[in-house]
Amino acid sequence: MTATDTDLICAIATPPGEGGIGVIRLSGPSAKRVAQSLISVEMKPRRAHYCQFTAEEEVLDDGLVLWFPAPHSFTGEDVVELQGHGGPVVQNEIIQVLCRHGARLARPGEFSERAFLNGKIDLVQAEAIADLISAKSRAAAKAAMSSFQGVFSAQVTALEDQLLGLRVAIEAAIDFPDEDIEILEQARVGDTLDVLITSTSALLVQAEQGRKLAQGITVALVGKPNVGKSSILNMLAGEDAAIVTDVPGTTRDLLKVDISVDGMPLQLVDTAGLRETQDTVEMIGVQRAREQMQRADHVILVVTAADVVANEAGFLANEDFEALLQRLALEAVPELGEVSAVNIHLLVNKVDLIDSKLRGSHPWPATYVSAKTGEGLAALTKKLVQLGSGGIEDTVFTARLRHVHALEKTRELLVQAKRGISSGIGAELVAEDCRMAHQVLGQIVGTVSPDDLLGEIFSSFCIGK
Amino acid sequence: MDFPERFDVIVIGGGHAGTEAAAAAARMGAKTLLLTQNIETIGQMSCNPAIGGIGKSHLVAEIDAMDGIMGRATDLAGIHFRVLNASKGPAVRATRAQADRALYKNAVRDILEHQPNLSLFQQSVVDLHVEGDTVVGCKTEMGLNFYATSVVLTTGTFLGGKIHIGHDQHAGGRAGDAPANALAERLRALPFRVGRLKTGTPPRIDGRSVNFNELEFQPGDDPRPVMSQLGRRDMHPRQVHCHITYTNEATHQLIRDNLSLSAMYSGNIEGVGPRYCPSIEDKVVRFADKPSHQIFIEPEGLNTTELYPNGISTSLPFSVQLQFVRSMVGFEQAHISRPGYAIEYDYFDPRDLQHTLETKALQGLFFAGQINGTTGYEEAGAQGLLAGINAACKAKGVTPWEPRRDEAYIGVMIDDLIHLGTTEPYRMFTSRAEFRLRLRQDNADQRLMPKGLALGVIGAERQAHYSAKMRALETTSKEMGATQIFPDSDMAKTLGLSLRREVTVKECLKRPEITAADIASVLGISNDEDMAYKALAQLEIETKYAGYIKRQEDEIEKIRRHESMQIPGSLDFLNIDGLSNELRQKLDHHRPDSLARAARIPGMTPAALSILLVHAKAKNAAVAS
């Protein structure tokens, strides 16, 4: 036994997108029992069984299933692998069924974490795992948040504020019953709970809708006018990639295109046309673009081969490449301000226009294409796939699923609290349901300590004899 | 000179922490000495004459479960009892008693004077004897040396105490008592972090000058609760009423006009006061839009006319105190018998303590009560109990008592103090206890007595009472599980139940509309002081709360696993990659020693905890190899 949680976790183990095979992994003491709810064959240790994955008599997928009993598995716990046919929709359904049977979605890096804690990975790798968890958590949080255009984050925070407010009122009523302060009446607690339940439900609907799109990471295309951003977009959308949806931007200045690159979903945002007007709408457009850029997982800075030539001197004079990138980005779109160079990827367009000598040397670590001739498309596709998967298993898709689950649990607890109010149970049980709801929501936004709560009480009410 | 006899435990201070500490150590068979400046003030209630209240009576119940003094003394001295939160559920239900100061003091002293193994001695302590990193005894004012294995320091507000009334200030540990300055200086030289806190009291009023006809009165509750498990109503003295008045616009104007004369608002006080017990100056300034504040007038005792107007603690000059008091209804002719004042005192950062309340720097030295930055008799008493028990454990060389957060409010308090420290006088609230549904007054003995019995801190009378209670619980649970109520039976009709099939009484108790009192009345158990009645009440709670308790138990199980994951002290929190800067700073500030403690730090997320877990485990493995 280790000190970690021993609940059952599950996740999609193969890279995101529509691959040929999609593997779902389960780890935890009840892995076999829960997996067994999907399949009819009796699994034998370390044997591959071919079978159908069914839920409520509906066949979801078919494929191979393998059971690795503890401790001889990747994590050191009981592990079951369901190897099906990939595709986000099918995998999502299977994950949902598993969660209904008692599994929960793994946190980023949690499989590796368990493997480490069970001694399956040696000490040397430990720090790497912590870094991995950190990187994945950041990526996942950002992915889940950004995919709702920032609305999600703001609404979860607003929900948390409301819940905190309610708890402050309930806890104040409990801890300071004979103060002459206006403590929430039972009925108003009920009303507030109704509001909270409605907000949570609305948020869930949004989250569910967003999840169906499974749009993957967001890549913003930026550059000076006429560097060929739109042509690149068309090149990507028009060639072997298919346009899934064509969503008009949040303003007329932003174009968002959902594309699929090698089966991996990706959202491209074109920030073209930003500098053409200076009216009020345009200002809003700039503001949106800035937000979009900060929210985008990656920024592709498009320059032309001529820019390379123009800046060659600076580069050869050992100008720091990152500084150069930032300078170029700033020159291209000054309104956007500075962006961390880590997320900027340089794309050099119009390589067909420069002489072959320079084309051969490719002095900057960049992707070189010609939207006109189609040269370099394979390299660009490869680059995007690399950005999209980032080597991480935790996509927008699962990150968001985890948030959806947290929200569902929150709603369930709030509904229970509300039922409690209606049936007239003691305030302490309503308080307990609200505490648990707050704790679950805290998995998205961070925990709140009792002392924070007390601080709120003291600043809201005049307490004390 | 050296005192001819050696002790196991010396307790310095005779307040609520000191008396519980001395009595607990003595109950465990340790040869104990209680040293106090003044034997006459043992068990003195320096602030308001009340014991208990939300969260606080829970502490009293736990002290009581370990056979401590506070609950018993309150039943002998309480002149007004109330149940708070009666409708909000059994876990947050609390008992509060107004106590006659003189009776309370007498009761405490009587218990101490009948306690075997305990001696009292009146002398101020001026120094501690330290050998290496171990405290071995202390020295009094007259140069008398006492030696013991453990020394418990419970000096309350007496260390470097400074009293403020308006711009006047003087040294004092409590109105009328000298501070312990020599000891404060000595302790400041030891390796402890020291801070300043402040607290205040209101002016006292002579009841003969109050027009009670104009005041609302508040009687005690009927049926009247008791404080101790051993308590009975017939132990209580005569009962009296409390009264209520209010501040008004004129009061607030007077206070605003004279704010610059207040010690607190003129910058004379460096100590931090409690947010939940603001001075009247604070209330008027911070909640300026509130036209009136409630003042709860508590009797000081049966044989005195003095009153304690709770809610107007102040450090304004006496002349202003007199004016604003007289601006209130009923107080127009009021005579102030003692001026209100603010008091500043030293406290030691409780993060320098271990779970046992023994200091980390000096072996054999324990701190309990206000010295650790807490406020309140109950908080002090609970710490005294724990320090006294552990001081005796140290002398006996046995495993100390370290109650957990899910076992006791005492555990919550100690854990909060030693891990988070405090920036204001720490007071207990039920919202501090995440597992408060388990930490009830009614089950304090079930939670703690098995441990208390193992430690040998529980006397024979208490033990017998406990056994009887446990037998009654078992019997009741069995009987109620077997007794059936049939559809259309008399019992079903009396209870207003429409049944399709027969149910047991126990099942029936799950229904929100059926209470233990209903069942008791059907079964003909009318006396609520009966064991059988109490057992029914507890059965009701256990039945109704089963789902919640189960959920909390799962949570506790998870925390226990996290607790077993220790974070090595050498881990450099500031250099953990992947954590936000803010979290790194917070971790470095709190320096949690287990994953469970880290999880309680505000802003912690599951991912951050995972990262910490991996680093802790890696560090542990590195240390081991």
Side-chain angles (χ1 to χ4, degrees):
Chain A
M1 273 300 285
T2 70
T4 52
D5 302 341
T6 49
D7 44 355
L8 182 64
I9 53 172
C10 65
I12 299 169
T14 37
E18 290 163 22
I21 294 175
V23 177
I24 290 171
R25 197 179 269 157
L26 275 159
S27 180
S30 55
K32 180 167 185 279
R33 182 177 56 75
V34 170
Q36 208 71 57
S37 63
L38 271 167
I39 56 172
S40 51
V41 295
E42 184 63 31
M43 291 183 285
K44 296 198 179 77
R46 294 176 300 281
R47 288 284 169 81
H49 306 273
Y50 173 76
C51 58
Q52 290 179 326
F53 308 153
T54 56
E56 282 142 27
E57 296 179 12
E58 187 196 339
V59 178
L60 301 173
D61 199 356
D62 63 331
L64 297 179
V65 58
L66 294 104
W67 169 42
F68 304 95
H72 304 293
S73 72
F74 162 55
T75 59
E77 303 174 331
D78 266 19
V79 167
V80 173
E81 277 189 13
L82 297 165
Q83 306 186 346
H85 288 94
V89 179
V90 173
Q91 289 184 317
N92 180 24
E93 274 184 50
I94 294 174
I95 291 275
Q96 296 280 23
V97 173
L98 293 173
C99 288
R100 274 203 299 278
H101 283 90
R104 69 166 170 81
L105 269 170
R107 291 191 301 268
E110 201 172 2
F111 283 94
S112 310
E113 179 187 319
R114 289 188 179 198
F116 167 66
L117 294 171
N118 288 323
K120 289 282 163 178
I121 299 176
D122 67 25
L123 191 58
V124 185
Q125 287 164 285
E127 292 224 339
I129 287 170
D131 290 345
L132 183 76
I133 296 169
S134 157
K136 286 181 179 182
S137 304
R138 266 203 304 272
K142 199 172 168 210
M145 292 293 180
S146 69
S147 58
F148 297 114
Q149 306 204 344
V151 172
F152 182 75
S153 153
Q155 289 188 351
V156 170
T157 309
L159 189 68
E160 203 259 330
D161 276 354
Q162 280 178 307
L163 185 52
L164 179 66
L166 179 66
R167 288 194 64 211
V168 163
I170 297 175
E171 296 294 340
I174 287 175
D175 270 338
F176 306 96
D178 54 8
E179 298 289 339
D180 58 336
I181 52 177
E182 199 189 316
I183 300 277
L184 269 192
E185 311 236 323
Q186 195 91 326
R188 280 187 47 212
V189 172
D191 292 347
T192 311
L193 276 170
D194 279 337
V195 172
L196 274 165
I197 292 166
T198 311
S199 315
T200 314
S201 299
L203 205 50
L204 267 169
V205 169
Q206 273 188 20
E208 288 282 356
Q209 275 171 353
R211 197 176 67 192
K212 277 177 200 135
L213 278 176
Q215 66 218 93
I217 61 156
T218 307
V219 176
L221 280 174
V222 301
K224 290 187 209 167
N226 296 324
V227 292
K229 295 189 294 296
S230 299
S231 311
I232 290 166
L233 201 80
N234 287 338
M235 174 171 85
L236 281 170
E239 284 286 329
D240 62 340
I243 294 180
V244 178
T245 53
D246 193 349
V247 188
T250 44
T251 75
R252 59 185 169 195
D253 309 297
L254 284 177
L255 179 68
K256 292 188 186 175
V257 183
D258 288 316
I259 61 167
S260 169
V261 183
D262 276 3
M264 191 194 64
L266 196 97
Q267 188 176 57
L268 277 176
V269 183
D270 186 4
T271 57
L274 268 180
R275 303 174 63 193
E276 269 139 43
T277 63
Q278 288 299 322
D279 65 8
T280 324
V281 177
E282 179 64 31
M283 297 310 288
I284 297 171
V286 171
Q287 178 59 30
R288 292 272 165 93
R290 181 180 293 137
E291 287 170 12
Q292 195 65 51
M293 198 146 126
Q294 277 154 2
R295 206 158 49 231
D297 301 286
H298 297 280
V299 173
I300 293 190
L301 174 63
V302 185
V303 298
T304 65
D307 291 318
V308 180
V309 176
N311 285 288
E312 198 177 7
F315 179 69
L316 293 176
N318 273 341
E319 182 178 16
D320 183 65
F321 182 66
E322 288 189 0
L324 175 73
L325 267 184
Q326 271 173 322
R327 183 162 60 80
L328 286 176
L330 210 56
E331 272 174 24
V333 203
E335 296 90 339
L336 293 180
E338 283 193 27
V339 178
S340 162
V342 181
N343 293 322
I344 303 178
H345 308 276
L346 193 64
L347 182 68
V348 181
N349 192 19
K350 307 189 185 181
V351 288
D352 54 307
L353 290 183
I354 46 176
D355 65 57
S356 51
K357 188 177 143 215
L358 183 55
R359 281 171 67 189
S361 66
H362 284 186
W364 294 350
T367 312
Y368 292 81
V369 301
S370 165
K372 195 170 167 189
T373 65
E375 182 183 337
L377 179 62
L380 178 57
T381 308
K382 196 176 150 198
K383 177 77 185 172
L384 287 174
V385 170
Q386 188 198 331
L387 292 184
S389 57
I392 62 171
E393 78 215 30
D394 209 72
T395 59
V396 175
F397 188 71
T398 49
R400 217 190 273 155
L401 206 55
R402 212 177 301 113
H403 285 185
V404 166
H405 283 199
L407 285 171
E408 275 170 354
K409 185 79 191 154
T410 304
R411 183 174 60 181
E412 188 186 312
L413 287 158
L414 292 172
V415 167
Q416 192 174 330
K418 171 69 196 196
R419 262 208 309 273
I421 295 262
S422 312
S423 69
I425 59 167
E428 64 185 19
L429 295 185
V430 176
E432 172 66 9
D433 283 327
C434 290
R435 178 182 78 85
M436 284 298 284
H438 207 169
Q439 196 168 308
V440 173
L441 207 56
Q443 290 172 3
I444 305 178
V445 293
T447 53
V448 171
S449 75
D451 209 53
D452 293 337
L453 194 71
L454 282 166
E456 281 295 317
I457 292 177
F458 299 135
S459 59
S460 320
F461 305 112
C462 181
I463 295 237
K465 291 288 175 353
Chain B
M1 71 166 266
D2 290 355
F3 193 77
E5 285 156 53
R6 194 189 146 76
F7 293 91
D8 293 324
V9 175
I10 295 173
V11 176
I12 301 169
H16 304 279
T19 52
E20 293 291 355
R27 284 199 302 279
M28 285 176 66
K31 192 168 154 52
T32 307
L33 174 72
L34 175 61
L35 273 169
T36 170
Q37 280 189 352
N38 184 354
I39 287 183
E40 298 308 321
T41 55
I42 280 179
Q44 172 89 312
M45 308 173 94
S46 318
C47 197
N48 70 322
I51 300 272
I54 313 281
K56 289 170 165 278
S57 68
H58 293 78
L59 286 171
V60 178
E62 291 174 0
I63 296 171
D64 194 54
M66 298 300 262
D67 212 7
I69 298 171
M70 197 168 270
R72 281 185 284 164
T74 306
D75 277 326
L76 294 172
I79 53 177
H80 176 108
F81 286 81
R82 283 185 68 209
V83 175
L84 308 175
N85 276 346
S87 65
K88 294 188 188 116
V92 298
R93 193 171 295 153
T95 316
R96 188 177 58 207
Q98 300 301 138
D100 178 305
R101 281 186 203 282
L103 289 178
Y104 190 84
K105 215 159 67 173
N106 290 346
V108 172
R109 186 151 160 201
D110 185 62
I111 291 170
L112 292 183
E113 286 178 351
H114 285 89
Q115 177 63 52
N117 307 320
L118 178 61
S119 317
L120 309 181
F121 194 84
Q122 176 171 307
Q123 261 288 284
S124 249
V125 171
V126 292
D127 202 358
L128 295 175
H129 293 304
V130 182
E131 283 174 9
D133 64 349
T134 305
V135 168
V136 295
C138 61
K139 182 171 144 190
T140 71
E141 220 169 11
M142 61 185 271
L144 195 53
N145 299 313
F146 290 96
Y147 294 95
T149 312
S150 308
V151 174
V152 184
L153 211 51
T154 70
T155 47
T157 59
F158 279 63
L159 286 183
K162 192 196 261 182
I163 288 176
H164 298 259
I165 304 177
H167 287 180
D168 296 334
Q169 39 183 278
H170 64 272
R174 176 169 57 206
D177 289 312
N181 279 344
L183 190 57
E185 231 160 84
R186 173 69 180 129
L187 287 167
R188 274 186 180 254
L190 291 172
F192 302 117
R193 288 173 279 187
V194 189
R196 290 288 267 180
L197 290 173
K198 76 129 239 237
T199 186
T201 74
R204 314 292 159 87
I205 291 169
D206 185 340
R208 290 172 302 173
S209 65
V210 173
N211 181 2
F212 287 101
N213 294 329
E214 295 294 320
L215 298 178
E216 288 174 35
F217 72 94
Q218 186 182 56
D221 279 342
D222 182 27
R224 195 166 69 229
V226 293
M227 194 61 87
S228 168
Q229 285 271 354
L230 300 181
R232 290 184 322 272
R233 274 174 212 137
D234 59 21
M235 295 172 174
H236 295 172
R238 178 166 65 86
Q239 300 292 297
V240 296
H241 293 170
C242 289
H243 290 82
I244 293 167
T245 187
Y246 298 89
T247 62
N248 53 48
E249 199 33 59
T251 321
H252 296 184
Q253 194 56 48
L254 271 163
I255 288 164
R256 276 195 293 269
D257 289 347
N258 292 287
L259 214 50
S260 62
L261 301 176
S262 160
M264 252 142 5
Y265 278 82
S266 55
N268 283 347
I269 294 185
E270 51 173 313
V272 182
R275 288 172 296 178
Y276 41 82
C277 198
S279 64
I280 188 67
E281 292 96 301
D282 261 342
K283 290 186 194 180
V284 169
V285 170
R286 288 184 44 222
F287 296 91
D289 51 344
K290 217 163 175 266
S292 164
H293 297 277
Q294 189 187 56
I295 307 302
F296 201 63
I297 305 166
E298 305 173 15
E300 291 262 334
L302 295 175
N303 297 315
T304 170
T305 57
E306 241 185 346
L307 299 170
Y308 186 97
N310 201 344
I312 50 170
S313 89
T314 181
S315 61
L316 282 161
F318 177 71
S319 59
V320 183
Q321 292 185 21
L322 196 60
Q323 284 180 66
F324 85 68
V325 161
R326 288 184 175 176
S327 72
M328 286 183 266
V329 170
F331 283 176
E332 293 85 351
Q333 309 292 321
H335 171 71
I336 292 181
S337 51
R338 307 178 204 209
Y341 59 89
I343 178 165
E344 271 190 293
Y345 55 96
D346 283 358
Y347 81 103
F348 291 96
D349 190 330
R351 288 178 298 168
D352 292 336
L353 297 173
Q354 305 176 40
H355 252 124
T356 54
L357 292 183
E358 186 173 3
T359 64
K360 285 178 184 165
L362 291 179
Q363 281 202 54
L365 181 62
F366 296 76
F367 288 169
Q370 270 173 307
I371 189 173
N372 292 335
T374 64
T375 174
Y377 311 139
E378 304 81 358
E379 287 81 354
Q383 289 172 70
L385 173 86
L386 183 125
I389 287 174
N390 288 333
C393 285
K394 177 117 191 163
K396 288 177 162 189
V398 299
T399 317
W401 182 45
E402 299 177 6
R404 302 161 40 87
R405 293 184 74 88
D406 54 75
E407 283 171 343
Y409 274 90
I410 302 180
V412 171
M413 174 169 62
I414 305 292
D415 190 66
D416 279 351
L417 287 173
I418 67 171
H419 291 290
L420 305 177
T422 188
T423 50
E424 67 177 335
Y426 179 99
R427 200 208 119 152
M428 185 47 75
F429 300 104
T430 67
S431 52
R432 293 196 194 273
E434 53 276 54
F435 302 115
R436 72 177 166 204
L437 293 184
R438 284 162 56 99
L439 307 186
R440 303 188 307 270
Q441 286 189 143
D442 66 271
N443 68 0
D445 48 359
Q446 282 142 280
R447 288 186 274 124
L448 300 181
M449 264 212 198
K451 189 69 198 177
L453 290 168
L455 286 163
V457 74
I458 290 168
E461 187 192 359
R462 184 81 60 168
Q463 232 178 95
H465 181 269
Y466 180 63
S467 310
K469 177 179 168 179
M470 294 314 283
R471 275 198 305 276
L473 271 177
E474 203 189 321
T475 316
T476 306
S477 177
K478 241 186 230 159
E479 279 177 9
M480 297 304 116
T483 309
Q484 292 189 316
I485 309 175
F486 291 93
D488 298 319
S489 63
D490 288 348
M491 203 167 167
K493 278 178 198 153
T494 318
L495 290 168
L497 288 171
S498 60
L499 299 170
R500 255 173 288 148
R501 53 163 195 88
E502 69 277 12
V503 293
T504 66
V505 172
K506 210 169 168 177
E507 285 166 340
C508 176
L509 270 173
K510 277 198 180 133
R511 300 171 177 234
E513 72 275 15
I514 301 292
T515 65
D518 296 333
I519 303 289
S521 110
V522 171
L523 297 175
I525 308 169
S526 57
N527 185 357
D528 65 357
E529 289 191 323
D530 254 21
M531 263 317 176
Y533 190 101
K534 289 181 182 168
L536 259 181
Q538 207 169 53
L539 187 67
E540 177 192 5
I541 300 168
E542 274 162 18
T543 325
K544 284 205 169 77
Y545 280 33
Y548 285 88
I549 303 263
K550 171 78 179 64
R551 199 166 74 189
Q552 288 208 333
E553 270 162 8
D554 292 346
E555 204 183 334
I556 290 166
E557 184 48 41
K558 192 168 161 185
I559 289 173
R560 290 204 176 171
R561 283 201 301 270
H562 279 168
E563 241 154 39
S564 68
M565 189 65 223
Q566 301 290 313
I567 298 176
S570 54
L571 188 63
D572 182 4
F573 293 105
L574 289 174
N575 279 314
I576 294 182
D577 283 339
L579 294 181
S580 72
N581 236 340
E582 193 192 344
L583 264 185
R584 287 190 213 176
Q585 301 281 355
K586 278 185 184 167
L587 282 165
D588 188 58
H589 176 74
H590 295 305
R591 305 205 64 83
D593 61 0
S594 75
L595 209 60
R597 297 217 164 79
R600 283 198 295 276
I601 293 174
M604 215 15 120
T605 60
L609 219 49
S610 280
I611 292 168
L612 200 57
L613 171 64
V614 168
H615 279 280
K617 171 118 181 179
K619 189 87 188 181
N620 276 336
V623 170
S625 65

